[in-house]
Amino acid sequence: LLESPAPEIVAAVVGRAEGNPFYAGEIVRSLMDQLGSAPDSGAVAAAVGALPDSVQTTVLARLDALEPATRRVVQLGAVFGRSFQPAAIPSLEPALSDDSVGAAIDGLLDRDLVRAGAAGFMTFRHILIREVAYGMLPRAERARLHAAAGGWLEQRAEAAGREDELAELIAFHLREAATLGALTGEPVEPGLAVRAVRWLRRASASAAAGAATVEAARHLEAAIELAPIETQVELYEALGAAWGSGDQAVEGF
C-alpha cells in the first residue's frame, strides 16, 4: 500500500496488527487518510498510538472521518448487503441526488472501502467494513431502510419480470423491516408483513423448484412467524409438502 515505507512504519504497523493482515491493511489505510501516501516516519508513531485498539473500532474511526454525505452513502449501501447498486441509494434517502451519490462513491473508491464490481455494483472490500457501516444505523432506522430497499427491489423485479430471481432478496428486506419494526415498537408500513409473507412464499417456491428443500422450508418458517393466525394453516401445509416425508413433514402437516 505504501511505496518504500520506512522500517519504523513497518515495525509500528506489524506490532499493532498482531498478525492480522486485514487489520494491518486498515492501519495503513488509516495512516494514509491522515498523513497521505508518503507519511513521515516521525509522525507515524504518534498516529499509530492514537489509533483504536481493535480492527472494528479502526474501521469505525475511518468511517467516522468521512464527509457526512459519503458516510451516509456507505451506511445506506450496507443495508443492501455486501454489494449494492449506487442507483438504489436515493430510493432509501431521496435527499441524496445521483450526483452526490456518485461523488460519495468516488470517495469510497479512493479510500478502498468499496470496489467496483460487475453490472455497476459496488462491493465492500471486506465484509467487516459492511458490518461496521450497518452497525452505525439505529435499529428503528434499519427497519425503515430495509422496507425502502425491499420496495425498490420489488418495483424492479415486477417491471423486468424477475420476480422469481429476486424473490429471496426482496423477502429478506421486507422480513427484516417487519421484524425490526416489531422489536422497536415503531409504527411500520401498513401491509408490510403481508408483503413479506407473499415474497417469502415465492422465495420458498423458487427454492423448492431447484430442489433446495432446506431453504424452501426456512422461508416458509419465516413466513409463519409473520403471518396472521388465520393464514398459518396453508403455510404449515406448504411446509409439510416442502419436506415431503419424515418427521419434519409430519410436524408441518
Side-chain angles (χ1 to χ4, degrees):
L1 293 172
L2 296 176
E3 293 183 12
S4 303
E8 295 85 357
I9 296 176
V10 176
V13 172
V14 170
R16 191 62 178 268
E18 297 183 338
N20 184 327
F22 174 69
Y23 191 11
E26 288 307 295
I27 292 170
V28 174
R29 289 180 175 90
S30 182
L31 294 176
M32 293 169 67
D33 289 346
Q34 297 177 53
L35 307 174
S37 59
D40 176 76
S41 57
V44 166
V48 170
L51 288 175
D53 57 2
S54 73
V55 63
Q56 288 89 350
T57 49
T58 299
V59 173
L60 180 60
R62 290 193 68 208
L63 298 180
D64 274 337
L66 296 171
E67 292 293 326
T70 305
R71 184 169 60 250
R72 188 59 176 164
V73 167
V74 80
Q75 291 173 335
L76 298 176
V79 172
F80 286 95
R82 180 72 185 272
S83 297
F84 63 95
Q85 290 177 280
I89 298 300
S91 68
L92 273 60
E93 192 150 306
L96 289 170
S97 66
D98 290 339
D99 288 343
S100 61
V101 171
I105 293 295
D106 288 341
L108 295 172
L109 289 168
D110 288 343
R111 289 168 176 78
D112 204 18
L113 291 165
V114 302
R115 291 178 175 172
F121 277 81
M122 292 294 134
T123 301
F124 286 94
R125 182 173 51 79
H126 193 281
I127 187 62
L128 185 59
I129 297 173
R130 183 265 165 184
E131 291 173 357
V132 172
Y134 184 73
M136 297 170 79
L137 296 167
R139 183 178 287 178
E141 189 175 18
R142 293 180 200 174
R144 178 183 66 80
L145 294 173
H146 277 297
W152 184 80
L153 288 165
E154 201 172 26
Q155 290 177 354
R156 287 177 59 85
E158 291 171 349
R162 300 172 60 197
E163 290 94 337
D164 289 339
E165 178 186 347
L166 296 175
E168 184 173 12
L169 196 53
I170 296 168
F172 164 76
H173 285 295
L174 297 181
R175 179 194 179 195
E176 285 293 291
T179 302
L180 288 169
L183 287 174
T184 60
E186 295 287 327
V188 298
E189 178 185 339
L192 182 62
V194 173
R195 286 166 57 210
V197 169
R198 177 165 61 87
W199 283 103
L200 283 164
R201 292 198 66 173
R202 185 149 197 164
S204 175
S206 296
T213 302
V214 174
E215 288 77 6
R218 177 169 52 83
H219 292 316
L220 288 169
E221 289 165 354
I224 289 168
E225 291 177 3
L226 294 175
I229 189 69
E230 63 271 15
T231 64
Q232 289 181 8
V233 168
E234 60 186 84
L235 291 170
Y236 275 113
E237 184 177 10
L239 181 60
W243 286 116
S245 61
D247 291 344
Q248 290 160 309
V250 171
E251 183 178 354
F253 285 128

